[in-house]
Amino acid sequence: MLTLQGKSIYLRALEPNDLEFLYAMENNESIWEVSNTQTPYSRFLIRQYLKNAHQDIYEAKQLRLAICRNQDFPAIGLIDLFDFDPKNNRAGVGIVIQNEEDRNSGTGGEALNLVIRYSFQQLNLNQLYANIGEDNTASLALFTKFGFQQIGIKKQWNLVDGKYKDEILFQLINPKK
């Protein structure tokens, strides 16, 4: 687990007692834009998801990890590897921190750094990618800071509050490949 341990945070697998945290995250309409969600989730559906959260990334094609402060069990955010493609050695990455006061504190950067290292060293991925809304300045700065390069713009990609917004595609190639 040293790969997923940072200086002030660690990443861990989801646990059954993350139910209320996930329920709050998935039903927080203010982050639906970044998670491409449009409908609320029930506790029943989240409980079912947690029952299957033990699946290996090769089986589920995704991995969701809880972001926790060191010496603390409750999660403060989530970081996901999704669209895992073992044939082409790539995956998408997304991150969300629940509370406003925990954002812009270095937590997201530390979590992203841990997941990059894990993806390249443990999963042997060749690349990671991220889709970021044009006005999500915090995420644009975060992913750029960690070497992700803008490789394209999906014009009028997402309909948000009656307006179409561009989505920017970022990519990070494993420097050791």
Side-chain angles (χ1 to χ4, degrees):
M1 176 117 154
L2 290 176
T3 308
L4 300 176
Q5 177 73 48
K7 290 180 182 168
S8 61
I9 60 126
Y10 69 97
L11 307 179
R12 65 165 172 78
L14 296 177
E15 299 282 351
N17 47 347
D18 287 322
L19 175 68
E20 290 305 317
F21 172 75
L22 288 171
Y23 180 79
M25 290 287 286
E26 295 294 353
N27 291 297
N28 180 347
E29 291 182 43
S30 71
I31 60 174
W32 281 4
E33 181 180 345
V34 297
S35 64
N36 285 325
T37 303
Q38 294 182 342
T39 58
Y41 283 86
S42 69
R43 283 181 177 84
F44 173 79
L45 284 176
I46 294 170
R47 197 173 290 114
Q48 294 303 111
Y49 171 76
L50 285 169
K51 283 182 183 178
N52 294 315
H54 68 278
Q55 288 182 322
D56 185 89
I57 189 171
Y58 290 92
E59 184 179 0
K61 304 296 186 231
Q62 67 179 10
L63 175 65
R64 174 169 274 186
L65 297 168
I67 303 168
C68 303
R69 286 191 188 89
N70 285 344
Q71 313 304 322
D72 212 4
F73 184 79
I76 60 169
L78 299 167
I79 190 160
D80 297 340
L81 291 173
F82 59 91
D83 289 342
F84 176 67
D85 181 346
K87 178 188 180 296
N88 295 300
N89 296 315
R90 66 177 172 239
V93 62
I95 184 169
V96 64
I97 306 294
Q98 183 179 34
N99 294 322
E100 217 41 64
E101 60 270 12
D102 291 320
R103 297 178 191 160
N104 299 312
S105 66
T107 302
E110 193 170 353
L112 183 58
N113 188 48
L114 291 171
V115 135
I116 290 168
R117 202 169 65 211
Y118 174 77
S119 297
F120 290 164
Q121 292 175 4
Q122 307 308 111
L123 297 176
N124 200 31
L125 294 184
N126 180 55
Q127 63 180 280
L128 292 169
Y129 71 89
N131 302 302
I132 304 171
E134 65 181 336
D135 55 357
N136 188 342
T137 55
S139 287
L140 293 170
L142 175 66
F143 281 82
T144 301
K145 176 182 175 184
F146 283 90
F148 282 76
Q149 296 182 348
Q150 181 178 327
I151 60 164
I153 298 175
K154 296 182 254 179
K155 297 288 189 183
Q156 298 183 13
W157 197 254
N158 294 311
L159 181 62
V160 179
D161 296 328
K163 294 173 72 178
Y164 285 97
K165 294 184 177 183
D166 294 351
E167 186 172 87
I168 302 170
L169 178 58
F170 284 84
Q171 184 179 42
L172 178 66
I173 304 293
N174 186 340
K176 297 190 177 169
K177 292 230 175 198

